[in-house]
Amino acid sequence: MRSLRYSINVTLDGCCHHEAGLPPDEQSMRYWTAELERADALLFGRVTDEMMESAWRQPATGTWPDWMGEWDIPFAETIDRAKKYVVSSTLSGVDWNAELVRGDVGQAVQRLKQEPGEGLFVGGVTLPLALADLGLIDEYVFLVQPVLAGHGPTLLAGLRERIQLELVDRREFRSGAIALRYRPARATA
């Protein structure tokens, strides 16, 4: 059975807008590349998939854009070749190594988790909220940025019930960011 891991950048005040934190640096890009490599497949909602594809899909020319730093390319290559599942009720089809997921998202994700492999990576804001509400997320990874955004979408806003987490790992970055890895706490009798 594959585990489902939710990973995202978040500011100290909980903002998870992709432009709210620090600009990516070599250390953070290596971290995110390694996180993606730990997954058999990526699970995105439509909005996140479109955003990621527009930034990280390899151009038809085979040449990465000039804006990419040397340390961006391994991340771009990893996400570009990764198997993806896109949850959407409005799309009629997907590409970029993707398969469309429709219908009951809980049942669909349960089926994906039942497949053999290393794990699934979910990113974004809306889809992870739904999956957290369904109790389907096995691990939460937050790269906490030393920034107060003061606005923007907040992490898991609207969660129906509190989820108690246990810290299983932490890693500090030169930038002051901290990667925190949590698992849902097991109920004790």
Side-chain angles (χ1 to χ4, degrees), residues 7 12 18 28 30 50 55 57 67 69 85-86 99 110 115 117 139 161 163 172 185-186 188:
S7 300
L12 283 170
H18 69 279
S28 67
R30 282 187 178 161
E50 289 172 351
R57 185 175 190 160
W67 64 262
Y85 294 96
V86 180
E99 185 178 314
Q110 280 287 27
E115 295 177 8
E139 191 172 89
E161 292 184 27
I163 299 172
E172 295 183 23
R186 303 287 179 230
T188 55

Side-chain angles (χ1 to χ4, degrees), residues 35-153:
E35 282 295 300
L36 290 182
E37 288 172 341
R38 290 180 52 219
D40 299 314
L42 314 180
L43 180 63
F44 295 142
R46 177 189 55 82
V47 172
T48 301
D49 180 65
E50 289 172 351
M51 179 184 68
M52 297 301 249
E53 183 177 1
S54 70
W56 302 110
R57 185 175 190 160
Q58 187 168 29
T61 63
T63 304
W64 294 105
D66 292 339
W67 64 262
M68 281 192 188
E70 194 177 305
W71 58 78
D72 292 316
I73 293 173
F75 178 85
E77 290 171 342
T78 301
I79 196 169
D80 185 60
R81 72 175 169 259
K83 169 71 176 166
K84 298 163 195 77
Y85 294 96
V86 180
V87 175
S88 175
S89 60
T90 59
L91 292 175
S92 59
V94 291
D95 62 1
W96 196 40
N97 307 323
E99 185 178 314
L100 188 59
V101 175
R102 295 183 163 278
D104 184 305
V105 70
Q107 289 178 2
V109 171
Q110 280 287 27
R111 280 192 301 275
L112 291 173
K113 288 179 69 171
Q114 293 299 324
E115 295 177 8
E118 294 298 313
L120 299 164
F121 175 106
V122 63
V125 178
T126 306
L127 177 59
L129 174 61
L131 298 175
D133 274 336
L134 292 169
L136 293 174
I137 297 177
D138 302 298
E139 191 172 89
Y140 294 82
V141 179
F142 304 125
L143 185 54
V144 182
Q145 305 282 327
V147 172
L148 297 172
H151 66 281

